[in-house]
Amino acid sequence: MMTLTRKILPTRSSAYRALLIAAPIIACLGSAPALAQNTPQDGVHPDRVDWGVLMDLSGPTSASQSIWVAGLQDRIRMVNEAGGVHGRRINILAEDNRFNAATDRIAFEKLVSQTPVIAISGMGTSASQVALSPTIRAGKVPIVGTYTSTKALSEPVSPMVYNGFCGYKEMAQAGVGHYVDRLGLKAPKVATVAIESAGGKEYHDFIAEAVAKRGGTAHHITMKVTAVDVTPQALELMALKPDFITIYGVPNTAILTMKALQQYGVKIPAFGITYLGAPQIFTAMGPEAGANYTFASCFTPGGSDTLPGNVEMMTFAEKVGRTAIREDINYVAGWVAGQMISEALQRAGREATRAKLVESLSKGFTIDTKGLSAPIVYTPQNNTGPVLFRMFGYDHATRKFTAFGEYADSARYVQ
Amino acid sequence: MSDLATPKPAAAPALPRAWPRRFILWGLALAALAYLPVLLTERMIFGIYLSNMTLLNLGLSQVNLMLIAMLGALSLNYLTGCAGLISIGHAAFYATGAMSAAVIGTQLGLPFPLVLIGSALAGAVMGVVAGLPSLRVQGLYFVLSTMAVHYLVAYVFLEYQFRVFDVVGVPFGTPSLFGFELSTPMRWYFFLLALVALVYAGLSNSLRSREGRALLAMRDHERAATSLGVDVRILRIKAFGLTSAIAAVAGTLYAHYLSNATSESFGITFAIQFIAMIIIGGMGSLKGSLIGAALWLLLPSIITGFAAGFGGGSGIVGSMLGEHRAQFVQLIFGLLVVALLIYAPGGLVSIGPKVRALLGRWRKG
Amino acid sequence: MERAVDDILLSIEGLEIRFGGLVALQSVSFTARRGDITAVIGPNGAGKTTLFNCVTGMYTPSAGSIAFAGKELTGLKPFEIARLGIARTFQNLALFEGLSVLENLMMGAYGRGRSGLLEGMVRSRRAVREEQQARARALDMLALLGISELADKRPGELPYGAQKRVEFGRVLMQDARLILLDEPMAGMNAAEKDELVALIRRIRSTLGVSFLLVEHDMPVVMGVSDHIVVLDFGRKIAEGVPEAVRRNEAVIAAYLGADAPEEALHGMPGATV
Amino acid sequence: MLGQVLFSGLALGSIYGLVALGFVVILKATDVFNFAQGMFVVCGAYLAVTALSLLGLPFPLAILFIILGAALMGMGVHAALIRPLSGRPILSIIMVTIALSIVMRAGIEILYGPAGRTLSTPLPSGGFLFAGLRISQLHLTAAAVSWLCMLAFGLFFRFTSVGLLMRAAADSHEAATIAGVKVDAMNRLAWAIGFTLAAIGGLFLGQLQIVSTELETIGLLALPAVVIGGMQSIPGAILGGLLVGVIEQLASTYISPKSADVMIYALLLVILLVRPWGLLGQKAINRV
C-alpha cells in the first residue's frame, strides 16, 4: 500500500497529494487489526465462520428488511451462545445495499472476495438480484435464504440458490383459494391494490392467473409508495365492488386502503402479502378496518401459537430485548433464515468450504422450524422452500395474531 | 510516516532537470494505475496477503463505478462549474443514455460502438431540449426547470420499462468493443480508465480553446462576454448538449455495468449526488470533479469498514455502530459535506495549496 | 457644424428609451465621425451609460434609430453589434475573474475565431491555430500596455489601475472600429490618466479607431475630445467642439445651476460619483 | 366522484400549502431555497410521536411541545448552517440544505429506528356525509387547521410590529439594517416559523399516513407548489399547494397514480416558460 501510494503521490496536483497523504495514515490504522489474522478464502476460520447478509439497512425498504436482519442475527446469537456450529462461532457480515443495484454489486463483490464469506443470505433488492443472477449462478458462493425471489435467480433451479421467503406465486394461489372457498364464490371478482413497482405488476399477474383458473376476473389498481390519500383508489374499488381485495406494497399501502374503505363504510375483505404482517399495521388500521384485513404468510408470527418454535423465538427475543419487533413477520422470517444458516453449516461439515457447502446442500435438505413456518423442504429439483400458507388476522383486544386453519389446508390451492 | 507526509523531499537535487523527473513520475503513476486492478482482485502484493482494511475496504467494482461517476461529475462540473449553469437533471441524462442503449442495443441488437454513439446523440438532443428554458429563465428558476425535466424523463423511463421489458428492469448485455469483451471488472477498469482520461483531456482542452474560454467568461461576467461577441444563448445550449452527451454515455456504461437498470436507478438523489461531488471536489475544477467523485464513491465504504472494525465495542458508540452502522455512515457523510461547505467553499482542490503551505512551514520550522 | 455623410461612423436619431414610466433618454440625436474622439458628458443620471447600453444593444430603445457605418443597429443582439465592430468597456470593471490576464485579453480575439467546443476538445488544426494567434496577439498587447509581467495573474490580484489597463487591452484586442469607453479615467491618478490619454491618441492615429467616451474628468474630456455631446435628464442640451461646450450657458446651468461661473467647468472634480 | 376527488385534493393541498408557506417565509427572509423542508415535515411528525407516544403528554401540551421544538430546531439550523453560509453561491446553499436532510434522516433513524410508527391523536377520525360527499373528519381537521395557521401567519405578518419588521428585513437587508432592524434575529425567526409550519404539516401527514422518513418526499412537494404559485408570494404558496393537491388527486383518478408527479412537474415547466414569476408572484426575475 505504501509503495503504491508513493508511486501515485508526487504526480498529481497538490490537492491530490493532500488526499493521498491521508490514505496511508488510514491504511496504517486499518492494517493494525488486520495483521492480527490471516483471512482464508472461504471465510472459514479456526474459531469462526463468516456468513454474509445483503439487505437494505438504510434505504426505502429498510423498515422491513432491517427487522429481518435483526431476526436473523438473534437466531445466530442463540446458536453461538449454544456453542456455534462444529465449534465455530457464526459471524454475520451484514452489508447495506441501500436498495440500490450499484451498492449491491459493490457489497456482493466485497462478500465474495474482499471479506470472503462462505455463503450469503438476504438479497432483498429484486433489481440487483436480476443483475447479479448470472454471476451468482456461475460463481462459487451460494445464496441461502433469499428475502425475495425473482425468476431470474430461482428459475431454473440452481444448486447456488435457496429461497428463504414465501413465494409470490404460491402466496397468490393460496390467498385466492382461501378466500374463494371461504366466501363460497363462483366467479370471483378480485382487485389487486399494489404500489407502482415491478413487483406489484408481477404479483398482480399471479393473482390474475389464480383467479382466472376459478373463472373470475382480476383488476389492477395502483398507488404511489408515498401516497397520503387514496380517495381515487377507494372510489375505484367502490365502483368495482370486488369480492375481495389483495394488497401488495409497503405498510402504508395496506393501512391507507383499509382506512379509506372504512371511511366510506365499505366492508370488503382484503389480504396483504406476507411482508404486510406487523402488529403496527393492524393497530394503525384500528379495530374496525383491521377486522377485514388478513395477510397470507408461510411463517407463523410471534405469539400466535404455543408451538415450541414460536415459544423458543419469543423467549429469546425477550431475553435480548427485542420485544418491540418480535411479532413482526419479518423478524420471524429472519429468525427462520438464521436457522437455515446454522443447519446449512452443520451439513457442510467440520472442514467446511464453499464447495462443500454447495455440494451438501444440493442433495436436498429439510428445515424443521418446530411449527414456526410452513414445511421447508429443498430437493435437487426444487429450491422454492416454504410453499404453504395460512391467513393471519389480528385480535385487537388480546393484541395477538390469530391463524385461519393450518398450513396443510393450502396444499390443495398451491401447484 | 514522516517521509510519506512530505511528498518530494530530498529527491529534487538528485534530478535537477524538470522534465525527466516528470516523465519518471508519470511512468510510475501509470504503472500504479495499471497495477491497481490486479491488487484489488488478487488482494496481495509481492505474495503478501493484504487484509480488507489495508485496501481500505475497496473493491474493483467500486473503482469502476467511481470511474463512471467521474464521467458524470466531469460533465456536470463543466456545465455548472465552468459554464455556470446549475442542473439537477443529470440523472435524466443518465437515464436517457440507458434508455437509448436499451433501444439500440437490447432491442435492435446493434453493436456496442453504435450504442455508445447513439446514446451520445440522444443525450445531446435531450441536453439541448433541457437547456432550452435557459433562454427564458436563469438562476434558481432554471434549476427547477431541470428538475422538472428530470421528472418527465423518469416517467418516460418508467413507462418504457413497464411496457417493453420485464417488471424487474431493462436488461443490458455484455458489451463488446471490436472484439474486446467487457466481461470482467478488470477489462471494464482499463476501458473506463482510458475513457475518463480521454474525456478529461478533451474537456480541459476545450477550456483552453476559444469557445471553452468563452464559457468561463460567460460564467464570470455574462454582459462582458456578450460585448466581446459571444452569443451566450447558443453557447449555453451547446454546453448543455455536450455535457449531456457525456452524461448519457456514462448512463449507458452504468446500465451495462450493472447489466440491469430500473427507473428507480435514476432518481433525484442520483442527480443530487453529482452536485455533491463537484461541490466537494471544487466547482469549476475538472480535477476537483475527479476528487469529488472518488470521495463520494469510496468514502462511504471506507467509513463502513472502520465502523465495522470498531463495531464490537460496548457503550453508546458501540451499540450505535452495531445497530445503525448504515445510518451512522450517512450521518458522518452528511456532516462531512456540511463541514466542507462551511470551511472549504472552494472544495478539496482549494485546500491542497493550503495544506502544502502548512507542510512547507512545518518542514522549515 | 457641417459633416460629410461618408465621414459619419455612428449616427443616432431621435433616440428614446423608457423604463416603465421613467424616460431615461428623450429624442437624443448626434453623430460621431470616423476617427474622432467623441465624448458624452453630463451630470449623474443624465443617461450617459443608458446611451451606451442602447448603442451596444443591451437595451432596446423605445424609439429612434442608431446607425453604425450606415447599418441600423436597433433590433440587433449585443453580440451581433459587437461582431460589427463596436467594443466597449464597463463603468465598473468587467473582467473575467476565473481567467488569467492573458486569457482575458485572448477573449478579446473571440470574434475573430470560428472553432467551437468540439474542435477545442480534439484540438483541431483550426482551433490550435486560432489559439496560437490569439495568444501571440495578447502577448503583444500586454507588451504594448507595459504589463507583460502580469500575464499569468488573476485580475482580482491586481491593483485597480492595472485592471483598467487589462480591460482596455481586451477592448483593443477586438479590432473594433468604434470603442466605447465608460469612465476610463475613474479611480486613476494624474500620471495614469496622462498615460491613458496618450495611449488613446496613439491608438487612434495608428489604428484609425474611433472612440466614444463617457467621462467625468473635465480637464481630460476637454483635452482629448474632438467633439462633445452634453446630456442632462435624458436630453441632449448641447453639442460641439470642447471650446463651444465650455462656454455653453445651458451646460453650465446643468452642472452648477444657472448662475455658476464659467470657470467652474475647468476644475470640475474628476469623480462626482 | 369529481367532487369527492376535489375535496380530498383540496384537503391535501391545504397541508401542502402550509408546508409551502413555511418554505416561502424562509425563502423571502434569507433567499435560501430549502431542500430540507421535506425533512422538517418528518421532524414534525417525529416530534409528535415523541410527545404523544413516548412522553405521553396530553394533547394540548403535545402541540406546544411540537411548536416549541420545531421553532428551536429552526433557529438551530439557521445559526449552525445558514448564517455561516450567507452570501455564498446558491448552489452551496442548496447543497447544505440537502446535506442537512441527509444528516437529519440518519439522525432520526438512529434515534427512532428505521421502521415506521403510527401516530394516534385524539383528533376525530370518522367521516360523515355532506351534500353527497363523504367527508373525512381528519381531512377536514387538517385542512381547517392549515387554513387557521395560514390565516394566523398572514395576520401576524401584516398587522404586528414584528411582522412588519420581518417584511422590511425581507425586502431589503441593507435598508433594514440601516433602519435598525435586527436582520439576524428576523432571519432566525423566519427559520423558526418555516420549520414550525412544516412541522404542523408533518403532524397531519404523519396521521394520514405513517410516521417515517419517507414523508420527506411528500414534504418536498412544497417545492413545485412554491414555484407554481410564485416564489416570493405568500398567497402564491397557498394557491400552489392547493393546485398541487388537486392535480395529484385528479391525475391519480383519471390517468394513473404514477402520472401525478409528472403532471405537477409539467405544470411547473409550463409556468417556468410562460410565467416564470409564478401565478401570483411579481415579475422580478433578475433578482434571483
Side-chain angles (χ1 to χ4, degrees):
Chain A
M1 185 63 208
M2 284 196 179
T3 337
L4 176 75
T5 315
R6 205 178 297 174
K7 277 176 189 170
I8 305 176
L9 200 59
T11 60
R12 296 297 169 94
S13 83
S14 45
Y16 236 124
R17 221 171 281 149
L19 196 71
L20 285 168
I21 288 166
I25 300 171
I26 299 168
C28 286
L29 281 170
S31 56
L35 289 173
Q37 68 228 340
N38 197 2
T39 315
Q41 281 299 301
D42 289 359
V44 183
H45 304 253
D47 62 332
R48 68 164 214 269
V49 53
D50 288 343
W51 188 289
V53 166
L54 259 180
M55 290 287 269
D56 176 12
L57 300 176
S58 67
T61 53
S62 59
S64 50
Q65 298 204 10
S66 61
I67 292 176
W68 185 88
V69 175
L72 182 143
Q73 276 174 325
D74 286 354
R75 171 76 198 202
I76 296 298
R77 190 165 159 187
M78 191 181 89
V79 173
N80 285 341
E81 281 178 12
V85 178
H86 294 306
R88 289 194 187 94
R89 195 164 52 80
I90 305 170
N91 182 35
I92 298 295
L93 300 177
E95 290 290 328
D96 176 21
N97 65 27
R98 289 169 21 218
F99 207 63
N100 175 317
T103 322
D104 227 341
R105 176 166 289 260
I106 291 169
F108 179 78
E109 190 178 285
K110 184 183 169 189
L111 293 176
V112 169
S113 61
Q114 288 169 238
T115 53
V117 294
I118 190 162
I120 296 172
S121 300
M123 306 231 36
T125 307
S126 41
S128 47
Q129 259 193 26
V130 174
L132 287 168
S133 65
T135 320
I136 292 169
R137 286 166 164 275
K140 296 186 170 64
V141 186
I143 311 297
V144 181
T146 54
Y147 180 73
T148 178
S149 66
T150 55
K151 264 190 207 148
L153 192 61
S154 53
E155 291 174 20
V157 64
S158 154
M160 303 303 294
V161 182
Y162 300 87
N163 288 338
F165 210 90
C166 324
Y168 286 124
K169 194 175 165 196
E170 294 80 12
M171 194 188 299
Q173 290 169 348
V176 169
H178 174 90
Y179 269 93
V180 168
D181 284 0
R182 184 162 114 197
L183 302 172
L185 302 169
K186 281 281 176 294
K189 197 187 204 181
V190 183
T192 312
V193 174
I195 53 168
E196 286 169 317
S197 75
K201 189 164 172 280
E202 193 178 27
Y203 180 67
H204 169 70
D205 292 342
F206 289 138
I207 290 283
E209 197 184 85
V211 172
K213 263 188 195 146
R214 290 166 179 272
T217 49
H219 301 266
H220 191 197
I221 295 173
T222 57
M223 192 181 283
K224 280 208 294 186
V225 178
T226 55
V228 188
D229 179 282
V230 294
T231 306
Q233 287 83 356
L235 292 174
E236 200 178 341
L237 280 173
M238 283 162 67
L240 201 62
K241 292 199 179 59
D243 295 313
F244 61 92
I245 299 167
T246 165
I247 302 173
Y248 175 99
V250 292
N252 188 41
T253 321
I255 297 169
L256 285 183
T257 308
M258 297 314 288
K259 272 183 23 181
L261 289 176
Q262 183 209 346
Q263 284 276 327
Y264 291 102
V266 180
K267 283 183 181 153
I268 304 174
F271 75 93
I273 53 172
T274 312
Y275 304 91
L276 301 181
Q280 294 99 302
I281 294 177
F282 284 93
T283 41
M285 283 175 192
E288 207 181 317
N292 297 320
Y293 178 74
T294 58
F295 64 96
S297 175
C298 62
F299 299 111
T300 313
S304 67
D305 62 33
T306 50
L307 292 172
N310 210 324
V311 172
E312 184 185 44
M313 180 186 80
M314 293 297 274
T315 319
F316 192 79
E318 171 116 49
K319 192 183 120 193
V320 296
R322 299 274 203 195
T323 43
I325 56 169
R326 63 179 176 172
E327 282 157 8
D328 192 308
I329 200 75
N330 290 294
Y331 185 82
V332 188
W335 178 272
V336 172
Q339 188 179 351
M340 278 179 78
I341 292 174
S342 62
E343 297 205 9
L345 286 173
Q346 190 72 42
R347 263 157 232 276
R350 190 159 289 280
E351 305 301 323
T353 61
R354 284 171 178 174
K356 275 189 189 152
L357 180 66
V358 172
E359 199 210 324
S360 62
L361 294 183
S362 67
K363 292 177 194 142
F365 61 107
T366 308
I367 308 281
D368 178 13
T369 58
K370 290 181 264 180
L372 199 51
S373 75
I376 302 179
V377 180
Y378 300 96
T379 66
Q381 289 78 39
N382 189 344
N383 288 344
T384 317
V387 291
L388 297 184
F389 286 81
R390 276 202 282 183
M391 294 292 152
F392 291 93
Y394 190 72
D395 185 346
H396 278 83
T398 57
R399 299 187 175 185
K400 289 259 181 272
F401 285 107
T402 50
F404 292 83
E406 293 301 323
Y407 286 114
D409 297 347
S410 67
R412 58 197 150 117
Y413 307 130
V414 176
Q415 281 115 28
Chain B
M1 279 317 294
S2 62
D3 64 325
L4 272 176
T6 52
K8 21 183 172 172
L15 290 162
R17 285 198 301 151
W19 83 260
R21 187 177 152 211
R22 208 170 184 195
F23 187 74
I24 292 166
L25 293 174
W26 266 106
L28 286 175
L30 279 178
L33 282 175
Y35 186 62
L36 182 70
V38 183
L39 181 71
L40 288 179
T41 311
E42 304 279 319
R43 306 199 81 77
M44 49 177 79
I45 190 164
F46 306 129
I48 302 164
Y49 185 84
L50 296 171
S51 81
N52 184 47
M53 275 323 290
T54 315
L55 293 173
L56 297 173
N57 195 18
L58 300 179
L60 194 49
S61 274
Q62 212 160 5
V63 174
N64 285 341
L65 288 164
M66 173 194 85
L67 289 170
I68 296 174
M70 279 177 173
L71 294 176
L74 278 172
S75 61
L76 185 68
N77 211 345
Y78 191 82
L79 183 70
T80 300
C82 302
L85 286 160
I86 302 171
S87 161
I88 309 192
H90 232 52
F93 303 133
Y94 262 65
T96 306
M99 238 187 308
S100 39
V103 173
I104 301 167
T106 313
Q107 282 189 280
L108 301 177
L110 295 176
F112 189 60
L114 281 183
V115 171
L116 283 183
I117 294 168
S119 57
L121 286 178
V125 170
M126 193 62 220
V128 169
V129 172
L132 285 179
S134 74
L135 303 182
R136 290 262 315 153
V137 291
Q138 283 180 22
L140 207 42
Y141 293 89
F142 182 68
V143 178
L144 290 162
S145 82
T146 62
M147 198 164 146
V149 167
H150 165 85
Y151 279 99
L152 295 178
V153 173
Y155 179 69
V156 172
F157 194 106
L158 191 70
E159 285 291 322
Y160 174 69
Q161 182 199 326
F162 273 43
R163 272 161 211 260
V164 180
F165 290 101
D166 199 3
V167 289
V168 281
V170 183
F172 295 90
T174 305
S176 163
L177 273 166
F178 310 109
F180 182 72
E181 280 228 329
L182 296 175
S183 50
T184 61
M186 183 91 78
R187 288 176 165 210
W188 269 101
Y189 172 82
F190 286 108
F191 167 67
L192 289 172
L193 191 67
L195 192 65
V196 169
L198 214 62
V199 168
Y200 181 88
L203 291 182
S204 67
N205 277 344
S206 101
L207 286 180
R208 278 183 277 113
S209 75
R210 174 177 168 269
E211 277 207 329
R213 199 158 36 236
L215 278 180
L216 297 169
M218 174 177 83
R219 170 199 68 186
D220 287 347
H221 204 300
E222 192 178 318
R223 291 209 323 160
T226 302
S227 80
L228 297 173
V230 179
D231 185 355
V232 291
R233 308 191 323 155
I234 296 295
L235 197 57
R236 273 198 201 117
I237 303 286
K238 272 180 158 181
F240 238 105
L242 173 66
T243 54
S244 22
I246 297 172
V249 168
T252 305
L253 297 173
Y254 183 78
H256 276 94
Y257 194 82
L258 297 179
S259 75
N260 181 58
T262 65
S263 58
E264 291 149 19
S265 316
F266 307 106
I268 198 85
T269 39
F270 190 81
I272 286 170
Q273 64 174 352
F274 289 107
I275 300 176
M277 284 176 210
I278 64 171
I279 287 182
I280 291 173
M283 283 287 260
S285 156
L286 293 182
K287 217 174 280 164
S289 328
L290 301 184
I291 297 173
L295 207 68
W296 188 267
L297 267 288
L298 304 186
L299 199 62
S301 173
I302 298 174
I303 301 176
T304 311
F306 281 104
F310 295 107
S314 56
I316 294 171
V317 177
S319 78
M320 191 159 116
L321 285 176
E323 284 282 306
H324 302 290
R325 194 197 311 154
Q327 281 74 22
F328 181 74
V329 172
Q330 294 283 304
L331 187 75
I332 296 280
F333 205 63
L335 289 175
L336 191 74
V337 173
V338 170
L340 273 174
L341 283 168
I342 294 179
Y343 299 109
L348 284 173
V349 281
S350 73
I351 60 173
K354 286 182 204 161
V355 170
R356 189 164 44 170
L358 208 71
L359 283 176
R361 226 175 335 170
W362 173 65
R363 244 164 69 200
K364 276 177 206 151
Chain C
M1 185 181 295
E2 285 302 307
R3 286 162 172 251
V5 174
D6 61 336
D7 234 17
I8 291 171
L9 186 61
L10 183 74
S11 155
I12 294 174
E13 269 302 320
L15 189 65
E16 194 159 312
I17 186 162
R18 287 199 186 86
F19 299 111
L22 184 82
V23 183
L25 288 175
Q26 202 173 355
S27 55
V28 172
S29 305
F30 70 89
T31 55
R33 276 192 307 185
R34 210 178 290 273
D36 264 8
I37 296 175
T38 309
V40 179
I41 63 169
N44 283 318
K48 305 182 296 283
T49 300
T50 307
L51 177 76
F52 266 32
N53 284 338
C54 287
V55 173
T56 51
M58 307 255 170
Y59 293 161
T60 310
S62 318
S65 80
I66 304 166
F68 175 67
K71 193 169 173 10
E72 183 59 42
L73 295 186
T74 47
L76 293 185
K77 299 254 158 30
F79 74 91
E80 291 169 325
I81 293 172
R83 286 177 188 179
L84 285 176
I86 296 181
R88 72 170 293 181
T89 65
F90 290 82
Q91 192 172 3
N92 306 310
L93 286 165
L95 292 170
F96 307 122
E97 286 304 326
L99 300 180
S100 70
V101 165
L102 183 69
E103 287 173 319
N104 263 282
L105 260 66
M106 285 166 81
M107 267 310 292
Y110 179 84
R112 309 207 308 164
R114 289 288 167 272
S115 63
L117 284 179
L118 287 175
E119 281 184 64
M121 277 182 85
V122 299
R123 297 194 74 67
S124 75
R125 203 172 294 168
R126 182 163 72 170
V128 172
R129 193 185 59 228
E130 284 176 4
E131 183 68 9
Q132 285 166 346
Q133 285 171 352
R135 179 174 299 269
R137 279 193 18 115
L139 286 170
D140 287 350
M141 187 61 71
L142 285 175
L144 179 76
L145 296 169
I147 47 173
S148 294
E149 73 282 1
L150 303 181
D152 293 329
K153 289 252 193 311
R154 292 283 163 117
E157 304 168 15
L158 305 180
Y160 188 73
Q163 291 193 30
K164 280 244 149 190
R165 272 187 219 207
V166 174
E167 198 189 28
F168 193 66
R170 188 177 73 193
V171 156
L172 293 181
M173 287 284 291
Q174 282 182 261
D175 287 333
R177 283 184 283 169
L178 175 67
I179 294 178
L180 277 59
L181 300 175
D182 202 344
E183 297 194 21
M185 308 294 168
M188 287 191 163
N189 62 33
E192 285 172 334
K193 282 178 190 167
D194 288 347
E195 229 173 288
L196 189 57
V197 167
L199 189 64
I200 290 174
R201 285 210 173 103
R202 186 148 51 105
I203 301 284
R204 194 231 328 231
S205 58
T206 54
L207 301 175
V209 181
S210 318
F211 286 90
L212 184 67
L213 77 152
V214 162
E215 186 50 65
H216 277 293
D217 189 319
M218 282 309 142
V220 168
V221 170
M222 294 299 162
V224 80
S225 313
D226 300 307
H227 188 76
I228 296 178
V229 177
V230 189
L231 296 182
D232 190 24
F233 289 112
R235 292 163 183 276
K236 186 179 82 176
I237 54 167
E239 178 177 21
V241 294
E243 211 45 37
V245 167
R246 197 202 307 258
R247 289 180 217 289
N248 189 304
E249 298 278 327
V251 176
I252 297 163
Y255 267 90
L256 293 167
D259 307 322
E262 173 200 323
E263 292 78 56
L265 266 180
H266 289 283
M268 193 76 67
T272 51
V273 186
Chain D
M1 175 127 166
L2 182 65
Q4 196 71 57
V5 172
L6 282 179
F7 167 72
S8 64
L10 286 173
L12 272 190
S14 307
I15 307 178
Y16 296 158
L18 186 69
V19 178
L21 176 61
F23 188 93
V24 167
V25 171
I26 289 173
L27 182 72
K28 269 178 93 91
T30 51
D31 272 340
V32 173
F33 202 77
N34 180 24
F35 273 85
Q37 191 78 1
M39 260 346 262
F40 289 2
V41 170
V42 177
C43 272
Y46 273 97
L47 279 172
V49 166
T50 313
L52 291 163
S53 308
L54 300 181
L55 301 178
L57 297 178
F59 193 61
L61 264 183
I63 296 294
L64 196 68
F65 177 87
I66 294 167
I67 290 174
L68 285 181
L72 273 176
M73 281 173 162
M75 290 185 204
V77 168
H78 175 254
L81 301 178
I82 305 304
R83 208 167 44 154
L85 284 176
S86 67
R88 292 279 181 80
I90 63 169
L91 199 57
S92 298
I93 294 175
I94 287 180
M95 195 61 223
V96 89
T97 61
I98 291 172
L100 172 67
S101 65
I102 294 175
V103 170
M104 284 171 105
R105 174 185 284 265
I108 286 173
E109 288 182 359
I110 289 173
L111 286 175
Y112 296 88
R117 284 164 187 257
T118 51
L119 181 63
S120 51
T121 62
L123 292 175
S125 63
F128 58 89
L129 265 172
F130 176 78
L133 293 183
R134 186 158 289 274
I135 306 291
S136 141
Q137 285 176 332
L138 191 55
H139 278 69
L140 195 64
T141 319
V145 172
S146 297
W147 281 99
L148 264 177
C149 289
M150 291 189 271
L151 188 72
F153 178 75
L155 293 175
F156 163 80
F157 207 51
R158 197 147 290 265
F159 296 114
T160 64
S161 55
V162 180
L164 183 75
L165 291 180
M166 274 187 79
R167 272 192 292 160
D171 281 345
S172 164
H173 281 193
E174 283 169 34
T177 313
I178 293 164
V181 179
K182 284 182 188 141
V183 174
D184 200 42
M186 291 301 129
N187 291 348
R188 208 180 308 137
L189 184 62
W191 276 82
I193 291 173
F195 203 122
T196 309
L197 293 178
I200 296 172
L203 171 69
F204 286 109
L205 288 174
Q207 231 178 140
L208 289 170
Q209 238 228 21
I210 192 167
V211 179
S212 78
T213 44
E214 296 304 305
L215 284 179
E216 182 186 13
T217 328
I218 303 157
L220 279 181
L221 282 177
L223 258 75
V226 164
V227 182
I228 290 169
M231 270 218 239
Q232 298 280 338
S233 159
I234 282 176
I238 299 168
L239 176 71
L242 289 176
L243 268 176
V244 166
V246 170
I247 291 170
E248 191 181 14
Q249 292 297 319
L250 286 178
S252 300
T253 311
Y254 296 104
I255 308 171
S256 79
K258 67 182 162 217
S259 70
D261 279 351
V262 188
M263 290 297 148
I264 292 166
Y265 279 95
L267 175 64
L268 173 82
L269 202 57
V270 171
I271 291 271
L272 281 175
L273 292 178
V274 178
R275 207 183 146 84
W277 51 94
L279 293 176
L280 298 184
Q282 282 172 351
K283 190 177 179 177
I285 200 153
N286 287 331
R287 274 183 52 187
V288 176

